Amino acid sequence: MRRNIPSTQALACFEVAARHESYTRAAQELSLTQSAVSRQIQALEEFLGVQLFRRTRHGVVLTPAGAHYGRQVARWLQGLERDTLDVMAHQGEGGTITLAAVPTFATRWLIPRLPQLARQHPDIVVHIDTRTRPFLFADTTFDAALYAGTPDQVANWPGVQALLLMHEDVVPVCSPRLLESAAPRGRGRAHQPVSAEALAGLPLLQQSTRPYGWRQWFEAMDVDAAHALDGPRYELFSMLAVAATHGMGVALMPPLLIEAELASGELVVACARPLRGERGYYLVSPAQAQSPVLAAFAQWLLRAAQGDLPVS
């Protein structure tokens, strides 16, 4: 059966013209004449039976239908270009995964483990963009998402399946220099953890997206901390980590996001009493059956999350 699809040349001309709302700039970008762009768009409008642009004295303006269709065409062309480049790069073997991921988790946990993926699955390539909130997969070119959220948030994400990778446990960390000032201790014991009560007197670093994190931690430790809500606020865990390494205060951090700092000694555990947070890290993908490439990646990712794979 013949597909009811316009020519790709007409769609390419329309996408550029819609992006600029200008036939002239579209012609310049595509190295065509303005009349050639106009003919392609006119043919597309005739094919669709829908007016995409409204002509004015100053040029062209997208109609509401044109604006909506332009967004759809841009996503389709982007996906087609990506898939074409993938086939060219891999000569039909292996495959790629376009992943949406929360930035700190991607930078500090996933990317350091990707060399291990490359050794086990050399034909799999992972492209990563950042997303922090749920989205509709149908409106994007993403194959899956690495998402940090609560079980309720994941359950309310429509049309997806979710694989829990790990829970987000948090523990107080700070610079060794700051920890030395927390409590008098014997020689050679300056970097050993202190009590929860001792932390209540130190400056605390807050995360703006979890404003009650410290209060919850102190309540779980049965410690009355009058200043649990005080301290500078930062949005991302990566910001908290940098501030903590510079001795600005104690941060509540998932150890999995500061593996390098803990290994180098830039950060130390201030009190070895972790608290399980409400959130976890999930691999989220469309509800339909996964492609072989995505299924292999999901299996590898779960093993990495369970600690079965070394960090290279």
Side-chain angles (χ1 to χ4, degrees), residues 214-226:
W214 272 115
R215 174 184 282 178
Q216 292 168 349
W217 186 84
F218 280 116
E219 287 177 351
M221 303 303 125
D222 198 24
V223 172
D224 183 15

Side-chain angles (χ1 to χ4, degrees), residues 124-148:
I124 296 179
V125 176
V126 180
H127 304 308
I128 304 174
D129 286 320
T130 58
R131 286 288 180 96
T132 58
R133 292 181 174 85
F135 55 87
L136 295 177
F137 279 96
D139 293 339
T140 73
T141 59
F142 293 121
D143 299 305
L146 277 178
Y147 176 67

Side-chain angles (χ1 to χ4, degrees), residues 174-182 190-191 244-248 265-266 268:
C174 65
S175 70
R177 185 174 64 256
L178 182 63
L179 190 62
E180 291 171 5
S181 67
H191 296 169
T245 59
H246 286 277
M248 297 177 62
E266 291 180 280
V268 294

Side-chain angles (χ1 to χ4, degrees), residues 84-103:
T84 301
L85 291 172
D86 289 342
V87 170
M88 293 169 63
H90 296 93
Q91 296 298 296
E93 298 180 359
T96 66
I97 297 168
T98 302
L99 193 65
V102 286

